[in-house]
Amino acid sequence: AQRVTQPEKLLSVFKGAPVELKCNYSYSGSPELFWYVQYSRQRLQLLLRHISRESIKGFTADLNKGETSFHLKKPFAQEEDSAMYYCALSVWITGGGNKLTFGTGTQLKVEL
Amino acid sequence: EAGVAQSPRYKIIEKRQSVAFWCNPISGHATLYWYQQILGQGPKLLIQFQNNGVVDDSQLPKDRFSAERLKGVDSTLKIQPAKLEDSAVYLCASSTSPSYEQYFGPGTRLTVT
């Protein structure tokens, strides 16, 4: 069965410092990975997906199939980056469609 | 465009009582999802609809949970009877198709006492 692991419940960094939120997955098939973010009092929303290979709000994530990882990185943290971040794995399901499996999330706190 | 709507936002019930949640997806979105998010955990998919048909309900506790999607638009999720461990936030999401971005509603926070 597929699984997503986010080892850190809380990550605290200073403004301007680099950020790396860790995500590891287990899946026997071809993975599709996402990062979702939930800002305070807002809805869960998509931040980025690995197939897009784009940078959103300065964040990037590279899929490393050898290490089965999809870590989220940003070179310089901003106060507005403080939020809950979830890594998610999409797998194909019988009957058609994709199913998302979420990790437990990492709370990022950017301190001044 | 209007986002995914859910009601109620909060609900407190006693164990063994029944409760129902309602979701109105974004117009035109064929795929609708219900997730359960227990405190300290990530969202867990309970059921996924494609139009008004069920695509996946493998993690839905069918002895007490039921869901339907009327005419391929709105959806209701029901718990009968509720248990203490059902206390969670219930999230509804929708997408244009299963492989596209999911848009989440604000969630319903259920407390079972």
Side-chain angles (χ1 to χ4, degrees):
Chain A
Q2 62 276 7
R3 185 181 181 92
V4 177
T5 302
Q6 294 180 252
E8 302 143 327
K9 280 194 175 300
L10 173 66
L11 181 64
S12 186
V13 301
F14 286 106
K15 179 181 176 180
V19 174
E20 183 178 47
L21 300 172
K22 290 183 167 53
C23 172
N24 288 90
Y25 67 91
S26 63
Y27 179 52
S28 57
S30 181
E32 186 172 358
L33 277 298
F34 301 80
W35 277 98
Y36 276 78
V37 61
Q38 187 165 26
Y39 301 101
S40 180
R41 299 187 186 87
Q42 294 188 27
R43 305 176 182 204
L44 191 61
Q45 60 186 284
L46 178 66
L47 179 63
L48 54 80
R49 57 194 303 178
H50 90 270
I51 61 172
S52 299
R53 303 185 68 83
E54 58 189 347
S55 174
I56 304 293
K57 299 184 178 181
F59 284 98
T60 59
D62 291 318
L63 178 61
N64 186 322
K65 292 186 179 181
E67 296 183 357
T68 60
S69 68
F70 188 57
H71 303 327
L72 184 68
K73 300 177 183 178
K74 185 170 182 176
F76 308 103
Q78 301 298 314
E79 191 179 359
E80 56 266 28
D81 296 330
S82 294
M84 191 71 168
Y85 291 80
Y86 293 95
C87 183
L89 168 67
S90 179
V91 301
W92 185 256
I93 54 176
T94 305
N98 295 67
K99 172 179 176 177
L100 276 182
T101 297
F102 284 86
T104 52
T106 298
Q107 180 72 46
L108 175 64
K109 183 178 179 182
V110 180
E111 299 184 74
L112 299 176
Chain B
E1 62 182 4
V4 176
Q6 290 187 247
S7 68
R9 294 294 310 278
Y10 306 91
K11 190 74 176 179
I12 301 174
I13 61 173
E14 295 181 351
K15 59 183 179 182
R16 291 187 289 272
Q17 286 188 322
S18 302
V19 65
F21 313 126
W22 173 82
C23 172
N24 179 237
I26 293 173
S27 177
H29 281 196
T31 313
L32 185 146
Y33 315 79
W34 282 103
Y35 291 88
Q36 179 192 58
Q37 186 172 19
I38 293 172
L39 186 64
Q41 299 181 20
K44 182 182 81 171
L45 181 68
L46 292 177
I47 188 167
Q48 179 175 334
F49 291 94
Q50 181 66 20
N51 295 308
N52 59 354
V54 175
V55 175
D56 183 86
D57 62 357
S58 58
Q59 299 191 98
L60 185 74
K62 298 181 186 62
D63 58 334
R64 298 185 299 106
F65 286 64
S66 64
E68 60 179 1
R69 189 177 185 193
L70 306 172
K71 299 180 181 178
V73 182
D74 292 3
S75 178
T76 55
L77 176 69
K78 297 179 181 178
I79 308 176
Q80 180 180 5
K83 292 185 175 181
L84 296 176
E85 58 261 36
D86 298 332
S87 293
V89 175
Y90 290 84
L91 295 167
C92 179
S94 69
S95 62
T96 53
S97 74
S99 58
Y100 282 74
E101 177 181 353
Q102 295 186 25
Y103 293 83
F104 284 80
T108 297
R109 183 176 297 277
L110 173 67
T111 302
V112 182
T113 63

